[in-house]
Amino acid sequence: MSIKNSELILNPDGSLYHLNLKPENISNTIIFVGDQDRVEKVTKHFDTIEFKTQKREFKTQTGTCKGKRITVISTGIGPDNIDIVLNELDALVNIDLKTRKPKETLTSLDIIRIGTSGSLQSNIPVDSFVLSSYGLDINGMLHAYQIQPISDSEIEDAFIQQTNWSSLKARPIVVKNSEELEKRFKSEQTYSGLTATAGGFYGPQGRVLRLPLQDANLNSKMDAFNFNGTYISNFEMETSAIYGLSKLLGHHALSLNAVIANRANGTFSKNPRKVIEDLIIYTLERI
């Protein structure tokens, strides 16, 4: 049975509705960045650029870097945007857009996120890199899908117990990264840990302006969380969604974050642009 027009939406030119992309526009190796202005910060290192487009916050450039074809896409902020980007990318490679049916032979993408983040641990300093061993979903988006086969219930149960997680909130979900990509990108320069993914920047990450929090002590509980030596390294808004959807769809994903703030000791990078540039170069050298 073909997928209905209302479920898989195409533009008049046949491109995917949000990303404005056709299958030939992307590589099987894809870099995610949040900020659309960061796309050029990556592609300035390319030898050639063959394709460019932008719709809303979703900006895409495809080109070649040292002989390897790579696509760079800006996802904007948050797990809801990741839901759009990953589902539409998967549709580009695994659904025949003419027949509107899934292909018999499926393609697996390599997806590497280059992001920025705040460290929750005093021993992970600003200007360092965090390689996310796991994504910790505390926003609930992944509950729309059948996530039980890919989630780690042991870590989830420990997190719920140690933080006294409210039953009024969605159950946390823990998803492992791609071990294949981790081997390629892990080094003495990277720190590892659980990356917590919130659904917002202020209250969901423990920031208080005028609104009181449901659990004012949640951040300190997260700082102290430890499961057999696995701790929460950093806090951001995309990683768990990338890991969860990639695992479900059969893609490989890894999240790398430049640490520009340390919330444990209240410090902020004096030169955040440099650490982001350093992470871009680090990634391109290993991709």
Side-chain angles (χ1 to χ4, degrees):
M1 183 178 294
S2 62
I3 301 169
K4 296 177 181 178
N5 291 348
S6 60
E7 310 304 293
L8 178 62
I9 306 170
L10 302 180
N11 296 311
D13 66 353
S15 63
L16 263 293
Y17 181 66
H18 295 94
L19 298 186
N20 217 31
L21 295 172
K22 297 178 181 179
E24 62 268 24
N25 300 146
I26 66 167
S27 165
N28 288 353
T29 300
I30 298 176
I31 293 174
F32 282 179
V33 295
D35 184 353
Q36 57 191 277
D37 291 337
R38 198 173 295 153
V39 171
E40 277 90 359
K41 291 186 170 94
V42 179
T43 60
K44 73 179 183 181
H45 297 282
F46 285 16
D47 303 314
T48 60
I49 297 175
E50 67 184 69
F51 174 81
K52 297 181 180 181
T53 193
Q54 180 168 2
K55 186 176 180 182
R56 303 186 186 186
E57 62 266 58
F58 307 118
K59 185 174 186 176
T60 302
Q61 293 188 6
T62 296
T64 303
C65 182
K66 297 180 180 178
K68 187 173 182 68
R69 190 169 184 251
I70 302 170
T71 295
V72 185
I73 299 177
S74 62
T75 64
I77 299 174
D80 52 340
N81 275 13
I82 297 300
D83 183 62
I84 292 171
V85 174
L86 255 164
N87 274 290
E88 292 197 3
L89 284 176
D90 181 76
L92 287 172
V93 296
N94 289 322
I95 296 175
D96 186 317
L97 300 185
K98 293 182 179 178
T99 65
R100 307 182 72 85
K101 294 180 179 179
K103 297 178 180 178
E104 292 185 7
T105 302
L106 299 179
T107 297
S108 179
L109 301 171
D110 284 347
I111 298 167
I112 301 98
R113 164 175 153 80
I114 299 177
T116 57
S117 183
S119 166
L120 296 184
Q121 304 295 331
S122 58
N123 67 326
I124 302 179
V126 295
D127 302 334
S128 63
F129 305 154
V130 168
L131 182 154
S132 304
S133 301
Y134 298 87
L136 168 62
D137 185 299
I138 59 170
N139 58 78
M141 188 278 287
L142 287 174
H143 280 291
Y145 301 96
Q146 297 178 14
I147 48 81
Q148 289 81 5
I150 64 162
S151 64
D152 192 314
S153 59
E154 280 193 298
I155 302 178
E156 293 165 4
D157 290 342
F159 179 80
I160 290 167
Q161 181 180 13
Q162 290 184 36
T163 61
N164 192 25
W165 189 255
S166 172
S167 61
L168 298 176
K169 295 180 177 180
R171 177 184 168 87
I173 302 167
V174 174
V175 184
K176 184 79 173 69
N177 67 11
S178 164
E179 294 182 358
E180 179 181 309
L181 290 180
E182 182 177 29
K183 290 176 183 177
R184 283 164 50 188
F185 288 87
K186 191 172 185 178
S187 75
E188 294 179 355
Q189 291 179 256
T190 59
Y191 293 82
S192 297
L194 276 161
T195 294
T197 300
F201 183 77
Y202 290 96
Q205 292 190 44
R207 293 181 172 92
V208 177
L209 300 184
R210 291 203 312 118
L211 296 176
L213 303 177
Q214 182 272 328
D215 183 353
N217 298 314
L218 180 58
N219 272 24
S220 60
K221 295 174 188 175
M222 291 174 63
D223 295 348
F225 174 76
N226 190 310
F227 177 77
N228 296 336
T230 297
Y231 56 86
I232 300 173
S233 52
N234 58 318
F235 218 169
E236 45 84 276
M237 295 177 63
E238 288 82 28
T239 294
S240 71
I242 295 170
Y243 282 8
L245 291 173
S246 294
K247 274 276 199 302
L248 290 171
L249 292 166
H251 305 300
H252 293 279
L254 189 71
S255 180
L256 299 168
N257 278 276
V259 176
I260 60 173
N262 185 299
R263 297 187 66 184
N265 55 35
T267 56
F268 192 85
S269 174
K270 294 180 179 178
N271 193 349
R273 291 183 179 180
K274 182 180 184 303
V275 66
I276 295 167
E277 175 69 8
D278 290 346
L279 180 57
I280 289 169
I281 293 171
Y282 179 93
T283 302
L284 291 175
E285 287 175 345
R286 288 159 178 78
I287 209 164

